Amino acid sequence: MVRPLIIFIAAAITNNFILTYFLGLCPFLGVSAKVSSAIGMGFAATFVMTMTAIITNVVDHLILRPLHLDFLQMIVFIFVIAVLVQFVEMVIKKASPSLYKALGIFLPLITTNCIVLGLALLGAMRNYNLIENTFFGFGAGVGFTIALLLISGIREELEVRDVPKALKGAPITLLIAGLMAFAFMGFSGIITLQ
Amino acid sequence: MNIILISLLLTLGLGLFFGLFLVISYKKLSVHEDPRVEILLDALPGANCGACGYAGCAGYAEALASGQEKNPGKCAPGGQDVANKVAHILGLDAVSVEKRVAKLMCNGSLENAIRRAEYNGINSCRVADMTIKGDKGCIYGCLGFGDCVKACKFGAMYLGDDGLPHIIEEKCTACGKCVEACPREIIELVPQDRKVFVFCKSLDRGPVAKSYCKVACIGCGLCVKQAPEGSMKLENNLAYIIDSHKVDEVAEKVIGVCPTGAIALDSKFAEVKTL
């Protein structure tokens, strides 16, 4: 029971997907201007990533590996993710229109995001079992949310600060992303994960 | 050869399976959306100002499409054009948009209000307000330097001999420029056919208010007792008319009750008073 927890913490903090693997940089820069939208994106992504981790693991272990078709992982996982996001969108629209209004615009953004595919492929590469992979996906989502919240908080502050003209907008955001990645390097080595 | 076949079949099969899955779930889970909502949204200005009483244009469009809202003429920024379009989309009869006009909520003319100082500064309400709070005894009422008149782009206002700005309702477009210009916020946009108003913004206690203005609201509360339940209230020594729908009822009951005449019929309805 300890190993899934370690995997969770590793995915969320020490091997944060955004700040150490540099996956999912598009929403990291695109949806991080406001804290409120960052929270929405974070929740939507966490949900999709957890579901993806579960289903890709099942597909991988039940279909691809018995048939020795490991090389199809990427294509099949993209399939699964796209279908899953569509399905989730429909369910949310039906079940909770208010949640749909909050998350709706972010869901299509997640469909083709490398962080979700990266999660599925990394999980398969490391031979995680179903429980481990679930925690892995959830942890990755939490880590994504943490990183997004941190940078959106900083960017909201930056709005009222005197940033040099040449650095306004994307440049300062990328600089901050780099500095945050430095900070997260401090976590490396706390947990070793094979 | 075999592995190519298997992988082809597998992707094909998975594609079919997922496709079917999505089709079925779409059938089961699809939410019926009124297509008119989209069309209505296009017709509305998209300013999301909330003047219609709904949370943005989308809220108004949904209420219209679902039939909860029967009035297609609630969009103030859109005016008559949008009202016609909306009515056309919904197949309703076109309505005339409620015309609104600016109105000065103060009767502190030279005759009514007592002056406490001589002001020789810059001829502007805002400056007078910031420096010595104006030259009248009342620090809530009209300053009388005509910032609103200068702000009006339609020539619908003029400064009268009584020291108060007057509004020519035929020319007023309810643009709100005078409302913004007034440092004391005593100009309001009101429906043109509304009859009765509290022409005072003074929050001072009765004796104080009476000491500097003949027509101030002294917060006696007589009108609140006479008016229909819930249509008026007294707060901070000032009477407010709450429910604008009952305004005619209010007019019937409270006109003549006010000891100072702060609550009065609008001048253009003055002849109604005798009824």
Side-chain angles (χ1 to χ4, degrees):
Chain A
M1 201 51 223
V2 180
R3 197 172 138 82
L5 279 180
I6 291 177
I7 288 172
F8 171 79
I9 292 168
I13 295 172
T14 58
N15 292 333
N16 188 295
F17 267 65
I18 291 181
L19 295 170
T20 55
Y21 292 145
F22 302 112
L23 292 170
L25 284 179
C26 166
F28 185 60
L29 301 177
V31 202
S32 59
K34 272 193 275 168
V35 171
S36 55
S37 54
I39 292 173
M41 183 69 183
F43 275 116
T46 307
F47 184 68
V48 170
M49 282 158 88
T50 314
M51 293 300 291
T52 305
I54 295 170
I55 293 174
T56 52
N57 194 270
V58 170
V59 170
D60 194 34
H61 282 271
L62 288 188
I63 302 172
L64 296 181
R65 293 196 182 188
L67 291 173
H68 303 291
L69 291 172
D70 296 15
F71 60 91
L72 279 181
Q73 272 172 352
M74 194 185 285
I75 291 171
V76 173
F77 288 174
I78 287 181
F79 253 171
V80 171
I81 293 164
V83 170
L84 185 72
V85 173
Q86 288 291 312
F87 180 67
V88 166
E89 198 175 341
M90 280 188 240
V91 171
I92 293 180
K93 200 172 182 180
K94 177 89 177 175
S96 163
S98 55
L99 188 67
Y100 178 73
K101 268 183 190 155
L103 298 185
I105 41 169
F106 300 121
L107 283 171
L109 286 178
I110 304 166
T111 321
T112 51
N113 207 303
C114 59
I115 195 166
V116 187
L117 184 63
L119 166 96
L121 289 174
L122 274 174
M125 203 168 78
R126 293 176 182 172
N127 285 320
Y128 286 151
N129 64 32
L130 184 58
I131 294 169
E132 286 167 349
N133 212 35
T134 312
F135 275 83
F136 183 55
F138 185 58
V142 171
F144 178 79
T145 314
I146 290 174
L148 217 58
L149 270 179
L150 287 176
I151 198 167
S152 60
I154 296 173
R155 283 184 70 180
E156 276 196 352
E157 282 293 310
L158 273 180
E159 284 291 306
V160 293
R161 293 295 186 272
D162 195 16
V163 180
K165 203 181 168 192
L167 291 181
K168 270 195 177 136
I172 192 78
T173 314
L174 286 167
L175 278 175
I176 289 167
L179 290 173
M180 282 174 68
F182 266 132
F184 266 70
M185 262 174 73
F187 290 118
S188 65
I190 292 178
I191 295 169
T192 42
L193 190 76
Q194 61 278 35
Chain B
M1 192 59 208
N2 196 21
I3 202 140
I4 297 175
L5 207 65
I6 294 178
S7 44
L8 263 177
L9 282 175
L10 181 77
T11 26
L12 207 66
L14 273 177
L16 269 174
F17 172 72
F18 285 143
L20 269 174
F21 174 71
L22 274 187
V23 168
I24 292 168
S25 45
Y26 179 76
K27 290 271 181 213
K28 294 261 180 207
L29 293 170
S30 66
V31 182
H32 175 69
E33 268 186 350
D34 199 328
R36 291 182 304 180
V37 173
E38 283 291 311
I39 307 170
L40 284 168
L41 257 181
D42 281 344
L44 292 169
N48 292 322
C49 65
C52 49
Y54 290 93
C57 295
Y60 186 43
E62 268 169 38
L64 280 167
S66 64
Q68 285 170 354
E69 177 58 59
K70 301 276 192 293
N71 184 356
K74 281 203 167 177
C75 183
Q80 191 66 51
D81 271 2
V82 169
N84 290 345
K85 267 192 223 163
V86 169
H88 179 70
I89 293 165
L90 294 171
L92 295 171
D93 295 329
V95 293
S96 53
V97 177
E98 186 179 58
K99 181 166 159 57
R100 298 201 303 164
V101 290
K103 200 161 283 291
L104 184 73
M105 295 297 161
C106 176
N107 266 339
S109 59
L110 292 176
E111 187 194 333
N112 290 332
I114 285 161
R115 293 175 174 261
R116 61 168 161 80
E118 184 86 13
Y119 177 78
N120 284 323
I122 298 167
N123 192 18
S124 150
C125 300
R126 200 160 280 278
V127 176
D129 188 43
M130 281 165 75
T131 50
I132 64 159
K133 289 271 166 205
D135 57 1
K136 283 176 188 163
C138 177
I139 58 159
Y140 302 98
C142 178
L143 293 145
F145 295 101
D147 276 14
C148 46
V149 178
K150 286 168 214 154
C152 185
K153 292 200 171 92
F154 302 95
M157 297 183 90
Y158 64 93
L159 213 50
D161 292 335
D162 55 358
L164 292 178
H166 291 260
I167 293 146
I168 306 164
E169 294 192 355
E170 290 74 38
K171 289 187 182 172
C172 180
T173 59
C175 66
K177 283 277 183 283
C178 51
V179 179
E180 281 168 33
C182 181
R184 296 217 159 144
E185 300 174 2
I186 51 173
I187 301 180
E188 287 176 7
L189 297 176
V190 297
Q192 195 178 22
D193 53 1
R194 190 174 148 184
K195 286 177 185 159
V196 65
F197 301 94
V198 181
F199 286 109
C200 185
K201 289 280 172 191
S202 165
L203 303 180
D204 279 331
R205 287 187 307 113
V208 182
K210 215 170 180 178
S211 71
Y212 54 63
C213 185
K214 286 181 199 163
V215 291
C217 173
I218 53 171
C220 63
L222 283 177
C223 50
V224 180
K225 283 177 198 134
Q226 291 289 325
E229 181 90 25
S231 63
M232 289 194 77
K233 66 170 178 179
L234 194 70
E235 217 175 82
N236 297 326
N237 303 311
L238 183 58
Y240 295 90
I241 297 172
I242 302 164
D243 192 343
S244 55
H245 300 294
K246 286 190 194 155
V247 110
D248 289 344
E249 255 179 89
V250 173
E252 257 172 51
K253 296 254 170 74
V254 303
I255 288 305
V257 167
C258 184
T260 59
I263 299 188
L265 283 171
D266 189 44
S267 50
K268 67 173 185 279
F269 294 109
E271 66 271 20
V272 183
K273 201 174 179 179
T274 52
L275 289 176

